[in-house]
Amino acid sequence: MPDHPIASAALALLLDATDGQAVEQALIVESATYSLLQAGPEHQAWLAGRTPRRREPERDVVLVAREGDSLRLTLNRPHVHNAFDAAMREAMLDGLEIASIDTSIVSVRIDGAGPSFCSGGDLDEFGTLADPASAHLLRVDRNVGRAIHRLRERVTVTVHGTCVGAGVELPAFASHVVAMSDATFRLPEL
């Protein structure tokens, strides 16, 4: 029996339910499943065993640079291996919106500063919204994977070092992925 039977069963059901679905619809189903799990006993037990760190707001969590007809977005939290947090999500969405509006941008390059591309979602933020329904609505509305998918033909993600969890979602939605020789991919959810 798996260590987390509820999450394992939810994953199996999610994979079955989204097989063959369009990306937009599959993301909604995935978010709803994730929200249900956040309300469940396995996630609540995980939260109870954690002591979140207090953090100061950071600046420039995504570097945005226009280079001719290319836009470069660099994840810039190297001190935490580019752990993906809400500020990074919003900065990525802002950068991708530039490419969406400005059709003279023919390519979008996404990479990461420091030793890792992205160590996954920032664990200090997991389960911190007031309720799972609000978290679901936020994930559906503010989804970086969906934004990349909409621009996918113009997006190249260059991965180096560690690429974990939420970090895997970035290259997963792009049409072009460059994995450097030191790149490793991991989905702890599985």
Side-chain angles (χ1 to χ4, degrees):
M1 174 164 253
D3 289 341
H4 303 286
I6 295 170
S8 298
L11 174 62
L13 292 169
L14 173 65
L15 293 173
D16 188 50
T18 57
D19 186 30
Q21 271 194 344
V23 168
E24 301 269 344
Q25 287 71 40
L27 286 170
I28 293 169
V29 175
E30 183 268 341
S31 177
T33 302
Y34 192 78
S35 291
L36 288 170
L37 289 172
Q38 283 186 314
E42 292 171 352
H43 183 72
Q44 294 305 310
W46 179 81
L47 279 177
R50 289 193 42 80
T51 305
R53 296 172 290 151
R54 293 191 52 86
R55 334 176 308 181
E56 296 298 321
E58 297 175 60
R59 299 181 61 179
D60 301 322
V61 295
V62 174
L63 303 176
V64 180
R66 175 84 185 248
E67 300 163 357
D69 60 2
S70 180
L71 185 68
R72 181 177 179 188
L73 306 175
T74 302
L75 307 179
N76 190 39
R77 296 183 71 213
H79 59 287
V80 289
H81 295 265
N82 295 319
F84 206 84
D85 67 355
M88 187 177 278
R89 177 193 68 226
E90 294 304 317
M92 284 293 294
L93 288 169
D94 289 347
L96 292 165
E97 182 68 15
I98 292 168
S100 179
I101 292 169
D102 186 346
T103 57
S104 71
I105 297 173
V106 298
S107 68
V108 179
R109 295 180 304 143
I110 300 171
D111 60 8
S116 301
F117 173 72
C118 182
S119 61
D122 191 324
L123 298 181
D124 290 333
E125 288 188 348
F126 276 22
T128 57
L129 284 180
D131 63 275
S134 296
H136 168 63
L137 294 175
L138 179 67
R139 271 193 302 277
V140 168
D141 184 53
R142 309 298 296 159
N143 191 297
V144 175
R146 183 182 65 219
I148 292 172
H149 176 72
R150 289 178 175 164
L151 297 168
R152 66 189 169 277
E153 295 303 325
R154 295 191 278 160
V155 176
T156 299
V157 179
T158 301
V159 178
H160 73 283
T162 303
C163 185
V164 179
V168 174
E169 292 180 19
L170 305 178
F173 288 100
S175 287
H176 312 285
V177 178
V178 176
M180 305 307 285
S181 62
D182 67 337
T184 59
F185 296 84
R186 209 174 105 227
L187 288 172
E189 296 91 333
L190 301 178

